[in-house]
Amino acid sequence: MKIKEENKAKILKIFTIVSYIVSILIYEICISNGNRILQLINGQGLAYNFSLCRLVLYIAFMILLVKYIDKFIDNALKTLKYKSKKIGIPIYIIVAILIFLYVAIKWGSIYKSATVVLFGILGIIFLLYVSADYVKNMIVFCFTFGIVFTFSTEIHHSLDEKKHIMTALNMSQGNFDYEKNPLYDPAYQNIIFNCDINDFAKFYSEKYKPELSDNWDKSEENQIYYVCSKPAEYNFVLYIPSTIGILYARLLGGSVADVYIMGRVFNLIAYMVMAVIALKLLPYKKKIFYIILTFPIMIVLAASYSIDGMCMGLITMFIAYCLKLENMDYKEIGIKNIVILIMLLIGCLLAKNFAYIALGLLIFILPIVKILKNNKKRLPIILSIIVISIVICSLLLLKLVGGTTDSDVGDPRGGDTSVPKQIEFLCSSPTNIIKVGFAHITNSILNYNWYTYMNDSVFFGKYNSQIFFLQMIFILYVAFTDNSKKINKKTTIISVLSSLCVFAMTSLMLYLTFTPVGQINISGYQPRYILPILPLLLMLINNNRFIGKSNEIDEEKTDVFVSIISIVLIAIDFICLIYIV
């Protein structure tokens, strides 16, 4: 029996390694060199888009795969006998083949056909390795489905990706003063918005040569284009991973496309690392956090230059650490834990320029007085750390406020905006605040159509609303059936309160900076702004009210089933992403 299991492990290991090698070859030949194949077919000769940065990344990945694959094999073999896998894998393969044939015949695009094949192969790997271990699932997810989104999602997508890559490009050239002195890079500035893989593939043949300058067209008629193209004004820390990816590709002579994709890849890796840390820290309710962390819109944003992935990672780590400390004996909480907690809170403050500052209320789920009394000998050190942290946060806030007051105008994309005038309008009459608040609540959290933007049609096509309905049912199912912890009243009240305050703060920021002066409805407020706090609310739903305890084996089977269903919904979104519908 042991020999049989060893043989299965070897077969699975070989299959995985071969599958990844095939996937790399497909990407290298059909995506990176797709334009060269088309040139060859059209009789224009044979050429090859060689890239050292891609080659080094392939080799590094394969080395890591061979080294660490054994840590995932046992879980994979254990769950292969589950009915959900025995039924799910063959169905997935058949559907993937049919979709590939449909794409190949209907679209005739080598790039989209190759993308579907890659999604199919990597999807099989995920289904083979998915288990009840959400930490390992997260790693496998990012190196299968996640990696496909780094090149299949439209380039310069409409959620400000062009602004974000411009920030990372400025940082890669050593310009950290990108807010006041933004630099212009023609190599990426001239790429159209929402550029799909068919139009972007030609840039694999074009070597990247940095030519940043301050030669912006700031004329009045070009103002909106300038605002949509200049660097985003967020803290540089949020762009470190993508900047590292750009620098890596530049140093190894990557093409324009390589540089762009590597920034996305490194952003995805950073998101994966933070998600893994958060899932390891969580003492309970990992399932619902995992589902939100792998939600399609989150993966699309994490696998692009958007800072939403970084924000989600930082906030989730802070929430997870608060829950971990709350679940510990207060006598075990020392100065090290306090320092880590403060550092994670500062990380949350960087997200969206202090918009999530209200999450600091979560600290009050801890028995603070008891913790301080237990550490009374180190109280001076703790107080010093707190004071230093307050000073750092105050300086960051003053810089942010100073940048806001330097210009009377908010974001011109919103129309006739002005932060001081908007504040004056709100303060002129209490009824204005009530009107704005009531209209906003009605148009957002009480409006189903608002929630459908969690599955944005920009990415997932005209059936995004119908697909989101399925996703919503699935998320609620997971929340209602996750009975891993009975959460106390104090944690429940503070979680709800901090979530409501985050909603209020993020709404206020959009109203001040993006909404025309005097307008009652808040412009531009999207549900992705509340995604980081969504697991915090969803984890409160069950609280052992609806589903009783189950045995360990049934729980594992349920966890595997839940992960497989989440992949089905992601696959549907992926089909829409490449415009099959």
Side-chain angles (χ1 to χ4, degrees), residues 1 17 72 76 126 190 209 217 248 256 278 303 381 385 402 420 434 525 547:
M1 188 71 179
I17 293 171
F72 296 80
F126 180 84
N190 297 327
K209 296 177 182 178
D217 180 1
Y248 162 78
V256 171
I381 299 174
I385 292 170
I434 295 171
Y525 193 79
I547 306 294

Side-chain angles (χ1 to χ4, degrees), residues 177-196:
D177 190 26
Y178 47 82
E179 294 183 34
K180 294 181 179 178
N181 300 297
L183 297 180
Y184 168 101
D185 191 333
Y188 298 99
Q189 195 67 27
N190 297 327
I191 297 175
I192 62 172
F193 285 99
N194 299 316
C195 177
D196 74 1

Side-chain angles (χ1 to χ4, degrees), residues 83 85 284 359 523 579:
K83 188 178 291 186
K85 281 196 175 186
Y284 48 78
L359 269 175
S523 300
Y579 299 113

Side-chain angles (χ1 to χ4, degrees), residues 41-89:
I41 293 172
N42 294 327
Q44 298 176 7
L46 180 64
Y48 183 71
N49 298 329
F50 175 76
S51 172
L52 183 60
C53 79
R54 291 200 305 268
L55 181 61
V56 171
L57 192 67
Y58 298 152
I59 294 171
F61 174 76
M62 291 308 300
I63 290 172
L64 291 173
L65 176 65
V66 172
K67 183 176 180 180
Y68 292 107
I69 191 173
D70 290 332
K71 296 181 181 293
F72 296 80
I73 292 285
D74 288 341
N75 280 350
L77 291 176
K78 181 181 178 182
T79 56
L80 275 176
K81 59 187 178 183
Y82 293 167
K83 188 178 291 186
S84 57
K85 281 196 175 186
K86 287 181 178 180
I87 297 173
I89 293 174

Side-chain angles (χ1 to χ4, degrees), residues 209-471:
K209 296 177 182 178
E211 297 178 352
L212 273 72
S213 70
D214 58 358
N215 186 27
W216 293 91
D217 180 1
K218 299 181 182 179
S219 60
E220 187 174 344
E221 61 270 16
N222 201 52
Q223 185 186 32
I224 298 298
Y225 181 80
Y226 167 68
V227 172
C228 292
S229 303
K230 73 183 183 74
E233 298 175 355
Y234 292 110
N235 192 281
F236 76 94
V237 173
L238 301 172
Y239 296 96
I240 290 175
S242 54
T243 301
I244 293 172
I246 289 173
L247 286 170
Y248 162 78
R250 274 181 49 202
L251 290 172
L252 295 182
S255 64
V256 171
D258 290 330
V259 172
Y260 200 106
I261 299 300
M262 288 303 165
R264 282 182 163 190
V265 169
F266 276 69
N267 223 24
L268 175 66
I269 292 172
Y271 178 73
M272 179 196 73
V273 170
M274 290 186 288
V276 164
I277 291 171
L279 289 169
K280 280 189 172 183
L281 289 172
L282 280 167
Y284 48 78
K285 301 290 182 179
K286 295 188 183 205
K287 189 188 302 181
I288 192 63
F289 277 85
Y290 169 79
I291 294 301
I292 300 302
L293 285 167
T294 57
F295 206 63
I297 188 67
M298 274 316 311
I299 296 303
V300 165
L301 294 173
S304 72
Y305 281 88
S306 173
I307 62 166
D308 287 74
M310 289 291 292
C311 294
M312 181 73 173
L314 290 168
I315 291 168
T316 307
M317 284 196 298
F318 173 71
I319 293 172
Y321 200 65
C322 285
L323 295 177
K324 178 185 177 180
L325 296 183
E326 182 265 342
N327 200 51
M328 289 170 56
D329 186 337
Y330 75 90
K331 295 178 182 178
E332 297 176 4
I333 300 174
I335 190 167
K336 178 183 175 182
N337 303 108
I338 295 170
V339 170
I340 293 172
L341 184 65
I342 292 173
M343 289 175 66
L344 289 174
L345 177 58
I346 292 174
C348 289
L349 300 183
L350 296 178
K352 302 286 185 180
N353 292 336
F354 281 76
Y356 294 93
I357 190 171
L359 269 175
L361 292 172
L362 267 185
I363 290 176
F364 292 103
I365 68 174
L366 308 176
I368 296 174
V369 175
K370 290 182 179 179
I371 292 171
L372 292 176
K373 284 183 179 179
N374 190 56
N375 291 274
K376 59 184 177 181
K377 291 182 179 180
R378 298 178 179 175
L379 200 56
I381 299 174
I382 295 172
L383 291 175
S384 299
I385 292 170
I386 293 172
V387 170
I388 292 170
S389 302
I390 292 172
V391 170
I392 292 172
C393 293
S394 300
L395 290 173
L396 290 170
L397 187 58
L398 284 172
K399 182 184 176 184
L400 176 63
V401 173
T404 303
T405 54
D406 283 343
S407 173
D408 182 61
V409 180
D411 193 324
R413 293 175 296 174
D416 182 22
T417 58
S418 170
V419 175
K421 290 180 181 178
Q422 197 74 289
I423 293 173
E424 185 181 341
F425 169 74
L426 288 175
C427 296
S428 64
S429 172
T431 57
N432 289 339
I433 299 175
I434 295 171
K435 287 177 182 178
V436 171
F438 180 77
H440 182 52
I441 291 171
T442 304
N443 293 329
S444 57
I445 57 177
L446 298 180
N447 181 5
Y448 171 77
N449 289 329
W450 179 75
Y451 288 100
T452 63
Y453 283 95
M454 285 189 187
N455 199 55
D456 204 329
S457 59
V458 167
F459 301 109
F460 305 120
K462 61 184 179 181
Y463 297 125
N464 69 305
S465 178
Q466 292 86 341
I467 297 169
F468 174 74
F469 180 76
L470 298 176
Q471 293 170 339

